Amino acid sequence: SLREFDDRITAPLHGFRDADDYYTRASCKPYLAAVTTPSLVIHAANDPFMSPSVVPKASDLSAAITLELSNHGGHVGFVAGQPWAPHYWLESRVPAFLATHIA
């Protein structure tokens, strides 16, 4: 499993005790309440690498953070449209967000 890989390879390779230590110390979640720069967090419910427990709750976020949750998107996929005419949603969503915050 991915957790076993992280426990045996990723964590020790990068100086963490185990997968739990890696997941705890490498996560930005504890810092989200202190973010002051306008930020966009996008997460897909069907992300195969992230369990629902990692999705921040509104109480975890500062007022500067916009959280957008999608039912689909996988792990940074967010592809819509037809197979012969795909639309890569992030390619339009991220610049649109930035345009509202950059003069």
Side-chain angles (χ1 to χ4, degrees):
S1 71
L2 186 59
R3 177 177 265 288
E4 289 173 317
F5 182 86
D6 286 344
D7 198 51
R8 295 179 187 174
I9 307 295
T10 308
L13 183 65
H14 298 286
F16 298 97
R17 182 181 64 250
D18 55 22
D20 288 331
D21 184 41
Y22 168 52
Y23 296 158
T24 299
R25 293 197 298 141
S27 173
C28 68
K29 194 172 185 179
Y31 306 101
L32 295 176
V35 171
T36 58
T37 302
S39 303
L40 177 63
V41 174
I42 299 173
H43 183 79
N46 69 343
D47 186 327
F49 295 108
M50 305 289 185
S51 68
S53 67
V54 304
V55 178
K57 296 172 182 48
S59 60
D60 297 327
L61 306 174
S62 75
I65 296 178
T66 299
L67 174 63
E68 294 184 3
L69 299 174
S70 171
N71 288 328
H72 304 287
H75 192 68
V76 300
F78 300 100
V79 180
Q82 302 297 324
W84 52 90
H87 170 72
Y88 299 96
W89 180 74
L90 286 179
E91 290 180 2
S92 58
R93 181 60 190 111
V94 171
F97 177 82
L98 292 173
T100 64
H101 297 287
I102 297 173

